[in-house]
Amino acid sequence: MTDQTMGAPAAPQRRLSPLAATIILVVILILGFLAVAAVMAEVLWYKQTGYLPVLTTQWIAAAVMFVVGFLGMAVPIFFAIDIAYRKRPVYARLTAQLDRYQELFEPLRRLVKWGLPALLGLFAGVSTAAQWQTALLWLNSEPTGEKDPQFGFDISFYLFDLPMFQGIVGFASAVTLIALIAGVATSYLYGGIAFSGRDVRVSKATRIQAAVLATVYLLLQAVSLWLDQYRSLTSSGGIRTGALFQDVHAVIPGKQILAGIAIIVAILFLVTAFTGKWRLPVVGTVLFLVSSIVLGIGYPWGVQQFQVRPDEKSLESEYIQRNIDATRAAYGLDKVEVERYDAVTDAEPGALRDDAAATANIRIIDPEVVSPTFSQLEQIRQYYQFPTSLSVDRYEIDGEIEDTVTAVRDINIEDQNGWYNRTLVYTHGYGMVAAYGNQRSPGGEPVFLENGIPTSGKLGKFEPRVYFGLESPEYSIVGGERSKPIELDFPADAESVAEATADDAAPADAADTETADTEATQAPSDEQIADEQSAGDEVESSAEGGRQNMTTFSGDGGPELSNIFTKLIYALKFQDMEVLLSGAVVDGSQILYDRNPVDRVQKVAPYLTIDGSPYASVVDGRIVWIIDGYTTSSDYPYSEVSDMNALMVDSVDSRRDPMPKPVNYIRNSVKATVDAYDGTVSLYAWDTEDPLLKSWGKIFPGTLKDVSEMSGGLMSHVRYPTDLFKVQRAVLGEYHVTDPDAFYSAEDRWRTPNDPVTSSTANAEKLAQPPYYLTMAAGANADPNYSIYSTYIPDARGEGQRDILTGYLAANSNAGSEDGKISEDYGTLKLLTLPKSNSIPGPGQVQNSFTTDSKVSNLLNILRQGESKVISGNLLTLPVGGGLLYVQPVYVKASSGTSFPILQKVLVSFGDDIAFEDTLDAALDELFGGNSGANAGDGGTQVDPGTTPDAGETDGDTGSSNGSSGSGSNSTDPALQEMQQALKDRDKAMKDGDWAAYGEADERLRKAIETALQG
């Protein structure tokens, strides 16, 4: 700084006006309050759920990593600048240009000296904090007991150690390089480096500092190169993931040599720090760069072009075999049971006799179609809703396991006005609705085994209220010490209808267990049920024009709004001051938020990838959401890397995340449950051999329960997860081939067929057919089991595409029903391979046959009369009768007015034969020469003559008339008379839009049918 500058009078300082200072202070306070509110709300949420250690562990780990990153970047940069300034030449001769730079920089020197390292440290800290999971996994790593085929290291080295080591080296290299640049720039500014013509003068201090930093940087590059050789085992640069011939014989040796050269050059720079001779390190650096080009690019290219390419198949065989073995192990495909299935194509009479159990459980209710039907028949009020895609589950009904189509009746507050209604009144959904998967009513509607409000049916007593659902409001305030309940429970008029229906239609043996008012709160005791019933007895007038039962939440589902500070926190969080000001928020009130079961599991287990198909089941007197969680990695050596997000896409599941999610290792490590009433989250360690889960169990001790704690009721509803199956079927389409030569030739690559239902629509995007859950027997002499399946066709596109079946993949989804014991057969993957000599039509061919068949076409045209819309249901494929049976339900929906899909027909196909009848049972008999040899689940269905094109035909099997309502030899039978009257009453109720009367008539019809069948 010059004397002239030092003697200049100080410029007058501008001060902020009081108004500006006040505004800035208020903004800072508001931001501070919002930040504190967000933090405290998280703490209160985790504390209430019992997972506070999960939050504190994350925060502590992220904070420590932030500090490490901040200091690791800021401190070296600060000292690089400080040392360069302190060791600057005292009598350096500066150019006029540098002198002007110094004058401009000097007033900012202290700010740059402290601010620049702090700013860079801030960015580094944030980046490092995001790697807290990598650091914790490294600190808590678990060995796998398996070794890689190239270096012989335990697989855990690649899963845990290598990512951490490479992260440390990469961070240290960036810090060293930035410190070197900052030190050199400071030295240049203050004369430590000077240029005079072609000469470059470097001060001793600058030389030592630069040489030492260059030495450290090159040593780090040597370590990085050495680690890169291991990373080649997870590289996807070749024809397959992993180190192939080129990598093993050129890339890996090249990196080892380059690492040695980097160490030698680093030593040369260190020598320069003492000798001041720059020639050797400069020459060494040039040679290092040239060597990098030759050994890193040129030599591998030459090996690939002149050695591998002419004989690639044989040279790569060993490494392709490594890739096959690792991929099958990493994706859980190494134990797939492969069975040849010589499918027959002739539909012989009695062919299904040996498959009677599987045939009786064929699902004809499509969960992707009947949501509008559920809504029309069971929504009751517009403030309820059903999901667009229903779930497939199974229950034990009257001693038999039945596949069911189920859905939770969730709350819908879109049409509600005012904070009071949206937050305090409309707080929860009500009930589970379940229909038999293999039955239909005579009118084509689902046959419900659990329905109504209050809920009644065959599922026994359970807590019906759904405070935690897929469509729950953002937040609700519930419970508290109130003189009068204010939460809407269910409409009172629905209660009276449900009670009448239950009295008239409930089977006698279920009368004691299927009560209309199931009011349990905690795994229901008699006292708790009584308390809930008294709370639900309050009836008030409704804005909907009816009477309503009111209730008060009595569980422990959210943080209590116990004081003004807590209320203020949530008023700021949700930006609703009513939380703070409303007198309806009383002592003991709880605030429920983060209510989606998927979000709740993700928050308490941030290390899991969550399955996209959660489903609700009635378990031990509760409605619980069952959710699958996966541990994944993309660092398994030699395993093929896939984009998991892309593999999830099919005709019923759009892409959930536009960003790719690379994985080459996946395990269904956790089964999670969320109680629909109080939101309790339970995590069960399902795959106890998974090394990733073992590590996370050490990181978050006490958060994982043992499988032995699972009840038999919960175990009976656990299923093989959808997303895992999608990943496995995609990988197995290529990796069912285990011979490396055949694999290289890609001569037998398969893919999932396009969904023939959606693909047949004009301009529809061709998406894969989704997997389906069915009770089926996969393979010869196999017992029927609840399973998930998918089919394969050849992976060919364009003109060479052939839509014939090549494989059938099924996963056993029956975990058993014993407390804490998983069935030995659960998760068994069975691949049925079909003979190439006998072409079995694929789903696309079958759908085309259905469409072009003249008889089917004529019947469909009849169904379309009156501008009705025909909807094709899911096309199911079943390995029965020694061949493959296709089953497709056909729905009809009115094009105007109040309408919903009604099941009217069933299409079936076996080989080249097709049948199209009112019921599956009739269709199978028609298909297999008049007698299939087995009865389908809808065998006792009497078709409503007013809604089908086959009116007037007589069902000889049941002895009942399907003709006009006034005819029939058995018209004097009381059961048939009751059926006839119920049909009339139901049709009238449908025309009038009186759904309560419709439900009552439908129940009378069902009871009459049961009576007739028993007779």
Side-chain angles (χ1 to χ4, degrees):
M1 184 178 295
T2 63
D3 293 339
Q4 187 177 17
T5 303
M6 294 177 62
Q13 296 183 353
R14 299 183 60 184
R15 296 183 177 180
L16 290 173
S17 68
L19 178 60
T22 302
I23 293 174
I24 292 174
L25 180 61
V26 169
V27 170
I28 292 174
L29 288 175
I30 291 175
L31 294 177
F33 277 129
L34 291 175
V36 170
V39 171
M40 288 303 301
E42 286 293 279
V43 171
L44 291 172
W45 188 91
Y46 276 94
K47 183 178 180 181
Q48 187 278 325
T49 58
Y51 289 90
L52 184 58
V54 174
L55 180 66
T56 55
T57 299
Q58 291 182 71
W59 282 0
I60 292 172
V64 170
M65 292 293 290
F66 177 86
V67 171
V68 170
F70 180 85
L71 296 178
M73 177 66 75
V75 172
I77 303 302
F78 173 83
F79 279 110
I81 295 173
D82 186 63
I83 291 173
Y85 175 76
R86 291 180 180 275
K87 299 297 182 179
R88 68 191 184 283
V90 179
Y91 301 106
R93 291 183 294 176
L94 304 177
T95 64
Q97 188 70 26
L98 278 179
D99 188 55
R100 285 195 295 271
Y101 288 159
Q102 279 193 21
E103 289 184 8
L104 293 173
F105 181 74
E106 190 61 27
L108 302 173
R109 181 177 59 81
R110 288 185 177 276
L111 177 63
V112 173
K113 177 182 175 181
W114 293 93
L116 181 61
L119 181 62
L120 293 174
L122 182 65
F123 287 119
V126 171
S127 175
T128 307
Q131 303 303 315
W132 64 270
Q133 292 192 3
T134 302
L136 289 181
L137 281 174
W138 174 61
L139 292 172
N140 297 274
S141 61
E142 285 283 330
T144 65
E146 300 175 6
K147 299 183 182 299
D148 79 85
Q150 179 63 33
F151 299 104
F153 291 165
D154 191 276
I155 300 298
S156 61
F157 171 77
Y158 300 91
L159 297 178
F160 304 113
D161 300 335
L162 186 57
M164 187 64 181
F165 294 159
Q166 287 195 306
I168 293 173
V169 171
F171 179 81
S173 297
V175 171
T176 304
L177 183 60
I178 295 174
L180 177 61
I181 294 172
V184 169
T186 304
S187 296
Y188 173 73
L189 188 62
Y190 286 96
I193 300 175
F195 295 91
S196 178
R198 294 185 176 181
D199 296 331
V200 180
R201 296 193 304 272
V202 181
S203 68
K204 181 179 180 180
T206 301
R207 182 187 73 230
I208 294 174
Q209 181 181 2
V212 169
L213 288 174
T215 299
V216 173
Y217 182 76
L218 284 166
L219 289 175
L220 289 170
Q221 295 313 296
V223 176
S224 178
L225 286 165
W226 193 261
L227 293 177
D228 281 347
Q229 66 175 320
Y230 306 124
R231 180 55 67 188
S232 64
L233 268 63
T234 58
S235 170
S236 300
I239 58 174
R240 294 284 111 185
T241 297
L244 304 179
F245 185 92
Q246 177 198 47
D247 301 294
V248 171
H249 294 86
V251 175
I252 291 176
K255 290 184 181 298
Q256 293 172 344
I257 295 171
L258 287 173
I261 295 175
I263 293 175
I264 294 173
V265 177
I267 295 173
L268 294 177
F269 271 99
L270 186 61
V271 171
T272 297
F274 298 98
T275 63
K277 306 289 187 181
W278 287 97
R279 180 170 297 176
L280 285 178
V282 170
V283 172
T285 301
V286 173
L287 290 176
F288 175 68
L289 294 175
V290 173
S291 299
S292 298
I293 295 173
V294 173
L295 295 175
I297 301 175
Y299 181 55
W301 178 85
V303 169
Q304 182 68 26
Q305 292 296 317
F306 302 110
Q307 188 173 359
V308 175
R309 178 165 290 186
D311 197 17
E312 187 174 51
K313 185 176 183 178
S314 60
L315 291 180
E316 298 288 19
S317 177
E318 175 187 355
Y319 308 103
I320 291 177
Q321 187 65 61
R322 292 181 181 182
N323 174 264
I324 292 172
D325 295 340
T327 301
R328 290 173 63 91
Y331 286 95
L333 300 172
D334 50 338
K335 297 180 180 179
V336 173
E337 297 180 4
V338 181
E339 178 181 322
R340 181 182 172 88
Y341 189 68
D342 294 315
V344 299
T345 56
D346 296 328
E348 300 292 339
L352 303 184
R353 186 171 291 109
D354 294 334
D355 298 293
T359 304
N361 285 284
I362 296 175
R363 179 172 51 78
I364 57 174
I365 301 299
D366 186 350
E368 301 298 328
V369 173
V370 298
S371 177
T373 307
F374 270 51
S375 296
Q376 286 294 329
L377 300 181
E378 289 296 325
Q379 182 172 317
I380 311 299
R381 290 287 188 271
Q382 73 269 22
Y383 47 76
Y384 291 126
Q385 63 180 322
F386 288 101
T388 56
S389 179
L390 308 187
S391 300
V392 177
D393 204 348
R394 74 274 194 204
Y395 289 91
E396 183 175 349
I397 306 297
D398 300 330
E400 299 290 335
I401 302 298
E402 299 280 359
D403 288 3
T404 60
V405 175
T406 65
V408 163
R409 188 186 288 108
D410 217 334
I411 194 69
N412 181 4
I413 64 170
E414 288 186 2
D415 295 332
Q416 304 306 320
N417 297 319
W419 177 87
Y420 187 94
N421 271 348
R422 297 172 66 88
T423 307
L424 298 167
V425 177
Y426 295 91
T427 58
H428 61 279
Y430 195 97
M432 167 80 75
V433 177
Y436 290 96
N438 61 346
Q439 297 182 27
R440 47 162 286 186
S441 71
E445 302 88 357
V447 177
F448 295 105
L449 59 96
E450 188 74 33
N451 66 326
I453 296 181
T455 184
S456 63
K458 294 181 175 292
L459 301 186
K461 292 183 179 181
F462 63 92
E463 169 55 65
R465 300 177 183 87
V466 180
Y467 284 89
F468 294 84
L470 297 177
E471 300 296 335
S472 295
E474 181 183 14
Y475 76 99
S476 296
I477 298 175
V478 300
E481 301 174 6
R482 302 182 185 277
S483 59
K484 182 179 181 182
I486 63 172
E487 299 174 43
L488 168 67
D489 202 21
F490 54 83
D493 53 347
E495 179 181 22
S496 62
V497 170
E499 289 176 349
T501 303
D503 291 341
D504 292 341
D509 59 350
D512 294 335
T513 59
E514 295 165 19
T515 60
D517 192 8
T518 309
E519 304 290 339
T521 57
Q522 305 291 334
S525 67
D526 292 339
E527 294 81 0
Q528 291 167 331
I529 293 174
D531 291 341
E532 282 298 296
Q533 287 174 336
S534 63
D537 284 341
E538 296 286 343
V539 181
E540 291 189 354
S541 297
S542 165
E544 309 300 333
R547 307 268 297 166
Q548 304 203 3
N549 282 307
M550 312 304 287
T551 189
T552 298
F553 178 79
S554 61
D556 182 13
E560 282 195 17
L561 301 175
S562 54
N563 53 61
I564 192 171
F565 178 68
T566 308
K567 294 178 183 178
L568 179 60
I569 287 175
Y570 288 105
L572 292 173
K573 175 179 174 61
F574 295 110
Q575 300 180 28
D576 281 332
M577 292 309 296
E578 290 90 344
V579 177
L580 179 64
L581 302 176
S582 175
V585 181
V586 298
D587 292 341
S589 290
Q590 301 174 40
I591 183 166
L592 311 182
Y593 59 100
D594 288 337
R595 301 163 71 177
N596 187 300
V598 173
D599 296 338
R600 292 179 76 80
V601 173
Q602 188 70 83
K603 288 188 69 172
V604 303
Y607 52 89
L608 292 178
T609 298
I610 305 300
D611 189 273
S613 301
Y615 59 102
S617 298
V618 175
V619 177
D620 303 327
R622 317 283 288 185
I623 297 177
V624 296
W625 294 95
I626 302 176
I627 301 161
D628 289 284
Y630 311 108
T631 45
T632 63
S633 175
S634 58
D635 297 317
Y636 197 99
Y638 274 106
S639 177
E640 193 68 20
V641 177
S642 305
D643 179 4
M644 184 173 178
N645 286 337
L647 297 183
M648 295 304 100
V649 179
D650 56 33
S651 62
V652 300
D653 192 351
S654 59
R655 191 179 183 100
R656 303 163 194 161
D657 190 340
M659 297 298 293
K661 180 179 176 58
V663 299
N664 68 353
Y665 172 89
I666 184 170
R667 289 292 184 271
N668 178 208
S669 53
V670 171
K671 299 287 186 181
T673 63
V674 177
D675 192 290
Y677 183 76
D678 61 19
T680 300
V681 181
S682 298
L683 305 175
Y684 296 93
W686 190 255
D687 188 346
T688 55
E689 299 301 316
D690 174 34
L692 289 173
L693 186 65
K694 290 180 181 179
S695 297
W696 286 116
K698 293 166 63 177
I699 295 168
F700 299 120
T703 60
L704 294 170
K705 296 181 179 181
D706 192 81
V707 170
S708 62
E709 299 183 48
M710 295 181 72
S711 69
L714 175 58
M715 193 73 73
S716 67
H717 291 282
V718 167
R719 70 187 190 188
Y720 200 81
T722 306
D723 288 358
L724 175 61
F725 187 78
K726 287 182 181 181
V727 171
Q728 290 178 321
R729 72 172 180 179
V731 174
L732 195 61
E734 189 172 7
Y735 283 86
H736 69 278
V737 178
T738 56
D739 178 74
D741 293 338
F743 186 91
Y744 175 85
S745 301
E747 60 190 45
D748 195 22
R749 186 177 295 176
W750 302 343
R751 67 176 176 88
T752 304
N754 297 331
D755 189 342
V757 177
T758 58
S759 298
S760 62
T761 305
N763 301 321
E765 184 180 1
K766 295 186 181 301
L767 297 174
Q769 188 178 36
Y772 297 117
Y773 288 97
L774 288 173
T775 293
M776 50 175 276
N781 303 319
D783 295 326
N785 262 303
Y786 185 69
S787 305
I788 183 173
Y789 85 89
S790 187
T791 57
Y792 290 110
I793 62 174
D795 186 13
R797 312 283 176 170
E799 296 181 358
Q801 179 176 345
R802 299 177 64 210
D803 193 358
I804 60 171
L805 283 187
T806 55
Y808 189 101
L809 179 66
N812 188 311
S813 296
N814 182 19
S817 57
E818 296 185 37
D819 292 348
K821 184 179 179 181
I822 306 173
S823 170
E824 294 181 357
D825 295 328
Y826 170 84
T828 300
L829 290 168
K830 179 172 283 189
L831 178 63
L832 304 181
T833 60
L834 300 173
K836 298 179 182 179
S837 58
N838 189 12
S839 297
I840 306 298
Q845 274 195 36
V846 171
Q847 188 68 54
N848 183 66
S849 299
F850 287 163
T851 305
T852 57
D853 184 88
S854 59
K855 180 180 177 182
V856 172
S857 179
N858 291 333
L859 291 173
L860 290 177
N861 288 333
I862 295 175
L863 291 176
R864 293 189 181 99
Q865 289 179 358
E867 299 183 353
S868 296
K869 180 180 179 182
V870 174
I871 301 173
S872 297
N874 44 208
L875 182 60
L876 305 178
T877 312
L878 295 97
V880 294
L884 288 163
L885 171 69
Y886 285 95
V887 177
Q888 183 176 56
V890 177
Y891 294 81
V892 176
K893 178 181 179 182
S895 59
S896 61
T898 302
S899 63
F900 51 90
I902 297 295
L903 177 58
Q904 289 295 297
K905 289 284 187 177
V906 180
L907 274 163
V908 293
S909 173
F910 193 93
D912 294 328
D913 297 323
I914 295 173
F916 190 35
E917 299 295 335
D918 296 334
T919 65
L920 175 60
D921 200 51
L924 293 178
D925 283 340
E926 175 69 21
L927 185 67
F928 290 96
N931 182 13
S932 67
N935 293 321
D938 66 342
T941 302
Q942 180 184 12
V943 182
D944 185 349
T947 57
T948 66
D950 293 327
E953 295 182 3
T954 301
D955 187 347
D957 292 337
T958 63
S960 61
S961 172
N962 284 338
S964 62
S965 58
S967 64
S969 60
N970 294 325
S971 61
T972 58
D973 189 301
L976 293 180
Q977 291 177 353
E978 177 62 23
M979 285 187 225
Q980 178 179 327
Q981 186 60 45
L983 284 170
K984 291 180 178 179
D985 294 344
R986 193 183 63 170
D987 290 342
K988 182 178 184 302
M990 181 183 293
K991 293 177 181 178
D992 296 340
D994 187 348
W995 299 114
Y998 180 94
E1000 188 272 338
D1002 193 58
E1003 289 296 334
R1004 288 194 289 111
L1005 178 62
R1006 185 189 310 172
K1007 183 179 179 182
I1009 293 172
E1010 291 176 355
T1011 302
L1013 291 176
Q1014 291 172 0

